């Protein structure tokens, strides 16, 4: 896909039916999961790609995938116990000296052309992210040996291969699913908004994504599926692997009465079951129907919404994407939970960087949030109650 083919719509894939798009996107395996290359094309152009167009993106990313030696050396110089997200942010920043956008801007490129080197940087960065993430995983959790990309594989399958799961076709399919459904989000979340905000200052894709990943590393944003796994582990530890519906209902109520939320349920925008949850549920039903973790998640799906709805306080009692992803990763043996946010970050890059190309193509201005004085806030919302002033 050459840069001249791009169009600049708003956020096309975000306003369409997710399951419909999943069915239509090109796949590596007949009847399998879509490859992220196809979603990336859709996000950039607003058009559903052909299989040949998605394959062209795969080939382009493969040609850009090799990691510079200084990036590998930078990771190797870090203490082994450095958090994987810290390593990801450092590695993305270490790639920045190669930014074509930064060089073109310094050379005086006309603003109408900003999107072209921004696109090239985006393609370079997305191509290298699986190798970066795999290097972090291998040095932190395995023996440190790195696995070279396989030139015959698509982007997500290569990611699985470089992580060390190349012989498991089910895991490759999971990576295609995972990276597709975590790729983008409405712009109000921290990582997407931060990447857009920093990019609006004409920071290049490397700096913009590094900033977004710093936001994703925050526990209120990127650790959601780990919180789900912790809660599921507590539930199975107390109730056993196959608890009754009544026992689950009591456990959910006990969680709520203790002042905690049920992790993985509710969404700031959606008011129905997250379609990304439904995609994962369908995957589990096909590939791991007897997995104990999936059985517990499935049983909770029958109980939690009913309990939450009965409180009368919750606008959306339905599960979100994080309610399911952890048990899928655990099933295939990727149990290093500190790495899960890195997987999320690699996936999120597809959407936020595509939006960055669009933003530069549209010539969007720097984002400048409005500041309000306390007096202005009082005039808008009234005086705070007396107890709040105490």
């Amino acid at each position: 896909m050459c840069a001249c083919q791009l169009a600049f719509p708003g956020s096309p894939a975000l306003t369409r039916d997710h399951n419909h798009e999943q069915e239509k996107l090109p796949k590596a395996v007949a009847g399998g999961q879509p490859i992220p290359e196809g979603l990336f094309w859709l996000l950039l152009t607003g058009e559903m790609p052909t299989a040949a167009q998605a394959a062209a993106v795969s080939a382009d990313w493969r040609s850009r995938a090799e990691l510079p030696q200084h990036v590998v050396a930078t990771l190797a110089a870090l203490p082994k116990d450095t958090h994987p997200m810290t390593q990801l942010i450092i590695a993305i920043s270490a790639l920045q000296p190669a930014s074509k956008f930064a060089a073109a801007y310094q050379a005086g490129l006309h603003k109408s052309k900003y999107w072209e080197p921004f696109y090239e940087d985006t393609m370079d960065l997305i191509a290298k992210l699986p190798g970066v993430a795999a290097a972090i995983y291998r040095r932190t959790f395995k023996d440190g040996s790195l696995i070279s990309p396989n030139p015959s594989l698509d982007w997500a399958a290569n990611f699985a291969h470089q992580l060390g799961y190349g012989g498991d076709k089910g895991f490759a399919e999971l990576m295609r699913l995972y990276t597709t459904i975590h790729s983008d989000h409405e712009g109000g979340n921290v990582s997407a908004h931060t990447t857009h905000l920093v990019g609006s200052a004409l920071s290049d894709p490397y700096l913009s994504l590094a900033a977004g990943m710093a936001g994703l590393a925050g526990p209120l944003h990127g650790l959601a599926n780990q919180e789900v796994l912790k809660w599921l582990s507590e539930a199975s530890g107390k109730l056993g692997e196959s608890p009754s519906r009544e026992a689950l209902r009591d456990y959910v109520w006990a969680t709520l009465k203790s002042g905690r939320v049920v992790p993985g349920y509710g969404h700031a925008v959606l008011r129905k079951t997250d379609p990304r949850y439904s995609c994962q549920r369908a995957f589990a039903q096909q590939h791991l129907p007897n997995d104990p973790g999936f059985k517990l998640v499935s049983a909770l799906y029958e109980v939690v919404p009913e309990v939450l709805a009965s409180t009368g306080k919750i606008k959306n009692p339905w599960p979100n994407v994080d309610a399911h992803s952890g048990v899928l990763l655990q099933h295939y043996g990727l149990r290093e939970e500190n790495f899960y946010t890195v997987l999320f970050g690699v996936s999120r890059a597809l959407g936020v960087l595509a939006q960055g190309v669009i933003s530069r193509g549209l010539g969007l201005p720097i984002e400048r949030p409005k500041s309000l004085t306390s007096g202005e806030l009082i005039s808008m919302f009234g005086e705070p109650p007396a107890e709040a002033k105490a």
Side-chain angles (χ1 to χ4, degrees):
M1 179 172 66
C2 67
C4 61
Q5 292 175 297
L6 298 178
F8 300 102
S11 291
L14 302 185
T15 58
R16 304 182 183 185
D17 181 81
H18 190 281
N19 293 329
H20 173 73
E21 302 297 5
Q22 185 189 30
E23 293 172 3
K24 298 293 184 180
L25 286 167
K27 301 169 178 60
V29 179
Q33 300 302 316
I35 57 173
E37 293 90 327
L39 178 65
F40 183 75
W41 181 290
L42 174 62
L43 287 170
L44 275 178
T45 70
E47 301 294 333
M48 188 65 65
T50 64
Q53 288 168 332
V57 178
S58 292
D60 195 345
W61 285 349
R62 281 195 295 269
S63 72
R64 302 169 187 250
E66 184 176 357
L67 293 183
Q69 188 55 43
H70 77 270
V71 175
V72 177
T74 297
L75 288 173
L78 297 173
K80 191 174 180 180
D81 62 355
T82 302
H83 194 283
M85 282 301 287
T86 305
Q87 295 186 57
L88 178 64
I89 295 162
I90 290 171
I92 292 170
S93 301
L95 287 166
Q96 191 275 341
S99 172
K100 297 178 175 68
F101 176 81
Y105 182 85
Q106 290 298 321
L109 181 69
H110 191 276
K111 62 183 181 181
S112 66
K113 299 291 187 181
Y114 283 168
W115 70 271
E116 295 181 3
F118 202 96
Y119 165 81
E120 292 298 329
D121 278 357
T122 290
M123 296 293 279
D124 285 339
L125 180 49
I126 291 175
K128 291 174 172 57
L129 279 175
V132 166
I136 293 168
Y137 180 73
R138 301 288 302 173
R139 72 176 298 269
T140 304
F141 303 109
K142 302 299 180 182
D143 62 5
S145 62
L146 304 188
I147 300 172
S148 299
N150 183 330
S152 67
L153 295 177
D154 57 272
W155 185 78
N158 237 324
F159 190 14
H161 165 72
Q162 290 187 271
L163 287 170
Y165 296 83
D168 193 330
K169 293 182 179 179
F171 187 77
E173 276 286 89
L174 176 59
M175 284 296 95
R176 294 179 183 117
L177 170 65
Y178 185 99
T179 52
T180 296
I181 65 176
H182 287 82
S183 63
D184 210 344
H185 205 292
E186 50 83 25
N189 72 79
V190 171
S191 57
H193 179 68
T194 301
T195 306
H196 173 78
L197 172 65
V198 175
S200 78
L202 297 186
S203 297
D204 59 64
Y206 301 93
L207 298 177
S208 301
L209 185 64
M213 293 302 96
L216 185 65
L220 292 183
H221 187 17
L223 299 190
N225 67 351
Q226 295 176 50
E227 293 296 323
V228 171
L229 285 173
K230 180 180 178 181
W231 187 75
L232 292 175
S233 178
E234 291 173 355
S236 61
K238 292 180 179 180
L239 307 177
E241 284 192 352
S242 302
S244 67
R245 186 183 181 94
E246 291 71 24
L248 284 174
R249 185 182 294 108
D250 291 344
Y251 187 75
V252 173
W253 273 116
T255 298
L256 296 174
K257 290 175 180 178
S258 71
R260 296 187 294 163
V261 299
V262 178
Y265 280 76
H267 192 277
V269 177
L270 296 173
R271 295 295 177 262
K272 62 179 182 179
T273 297
D274 190 331
R276 297 167 302 171
Y277 175 94
S278 300
C279 291
Q280 293 178 99
R281 178 175 170 80
F283 180 92
Q285 288 171 327
Q286 178 182 354
H287 294 279
L288 48 134
N290 297 315
D291 179 85
F294 169 60
K295 286 184 174 181
L296 180 57
V297 166
S298 188
L300 286 164
Y301 186 41
E302 302 297 325
V303 171
V304 176
E306 174 188 317
V307 173
L308 295 181
S310 71
T311 68
K313 300 177 182 179
I314 298 174
K315 294 180 179 179
N316 174 25
W318 303 105
N320 60 50
V321 62
D322 298 306
H324 215 309
S325 58
V327 298
L328 298 180
L329 294 168
Q330 297 258 319
H331 172 82
Y332 285 102
L334 205 162
R335 296 180 174 272
E336 297 87 359
E337 294 179 19
N338 271 354
F339 188 70
Y340 288 2
T341 316
V342 174
L343 291 176
F344 193 169
V346 173
S347 311
R348 178 54 52 88
L350 294 167
V352 297
L353 293 178
Q355 189 60 44
V357 177
I358 293 168
S359 296
R360 301 290 75 76
L362 294 174
L364 298 185
I366 190 170
E367 187 171 314
R368 195 180 300 277
K370 183 175 176 59
S371 297
L372 297 174
T373 66
S374 56
E376 289 171 323
L377 290 171
I378 290 172
S379 68
M380 291 171 64
F381 301 108
E383 288 280 352
E387 59 267 23
K389 296 181 179 180

